[in-house]
Amino acid sequence: MTIGGRDHQRLAGAISVLGENARAIEVDATDADSLRHFYAEANEIDDLVVTVTRRGGAGPATALADADLLGAFAGKTVAHLVAVALALPTLATHGSITLVTAGSAQSTLPGTAGLAAVNGALEVAVPVLARELGPLRVNAVSPGVIETGWWDEVPEETRTEMFSTFAQRAPVGRNGTPEDVAKAIVALVENRFITGVVLPCDGGLRLT
């Protein structure tokens, strides 16, 4: 297994968990040359999972003119698509690509129009890529509210209240964990008869 990312310390931590059969290569998915280097070092790839993201785009409609929408699209939508394009020469013909979008693309939560646009643009590309690149499979996982460090910038009291509210709204009665998302990704990677699918992993929150 080969993993990539920009943060050396996080990569080292991941390797300590994954064990000696894994290796890490530093890569910046917003830099095409960095991606080319990564794929050259990784060599042949059976299954590619792209999880790159960038903050930005959140906020009410009245603030969108001042939001960093270009940066949000560049750091998420564009980065995913470029990562896919540059991976193709090294991907196994009967392998897979799994992208990670966000539940904002499938919800109607006020204040998330920018996020919905960024992730929605990526989600509508999934079936097109699946049709174009077959038999290579292309899917995506769309996580809902997942309790991770991604939310650490939100003040603790606000974050706790927010998590409680979303957990009560979700039909399953809780928020997600990183393990929930990982299992959804593995399901798409391992099932060789699924392609062109955006799989919600949100505890049913999009239904509320």
Side-chain angles (χ1 to χ4, degrees), residues 55 145-167 175:
R55 295 183 181 277
V145 177
I146 311 298
E147 294 192 14
T148 69
W150 192 88
W151 301 94
D152 287 352
E153 291 188 3
V154 179
E156 183 176 359
E157 183 177 346
T158 302
R159 184 170 69 247
T160 299
E161 182 179 353
M162 180 195 69
F163 279 156
S164 176
T165 299
F166 281 121
N175 297 317

Side-chain angles (χ1 to χ4, degrees), residues 39 43-50 83-98 133 136-138:
Y39 292 130
N43 202 2
E44 296 182 2
I45 299 173
D46 292 319
D47 300 289
L48 175 69
V49 179
V50 185
V84 169
L86 295 179
L88 295 178
T90 56
L91 271 170
T93 304
H94 292 275
S96 69
I97 299 170
T98 306
L133 300 178
L136 183 71
R137 297 180 302 108
V138 183

Side-chain angles (χ1 to χ4, degrees), residues 91-154:
L91 271 170
T93 304
H94 292 275
S96 69
I97 299 170
T98 306
L99 311 180
V100 178
T101 62
S104 54
Q106 301 180 32
S107 71
T108 57
L109 185 65
T112 64
L115 296 175
V118 167
N119 290 286
L122 191 54
E123 291 191 1
V124 296
V126 169
V128 180
L129 289 170
R131 178 70 183 275
E132 179 179 347
L133 300 178
L136 183 71
R137 297 180 302 108
V138 183
N139 296 295
V141 171
S142 181
V145 177
I146 311 298
E147 294 192 14
T148 69
W150 192 88
W151 301 94
D152 287 352
E153 291 188 3
V154 179

Side-chain angles (χ1 to χ4, degrees), residues 30 52-54 70-80:
T30 63
V52 62
T53 190
R54 173 175 169 174
L70 290 178
F73 271 96
K76 179 77 182 264
T77 314
V78 175
H80 268 73

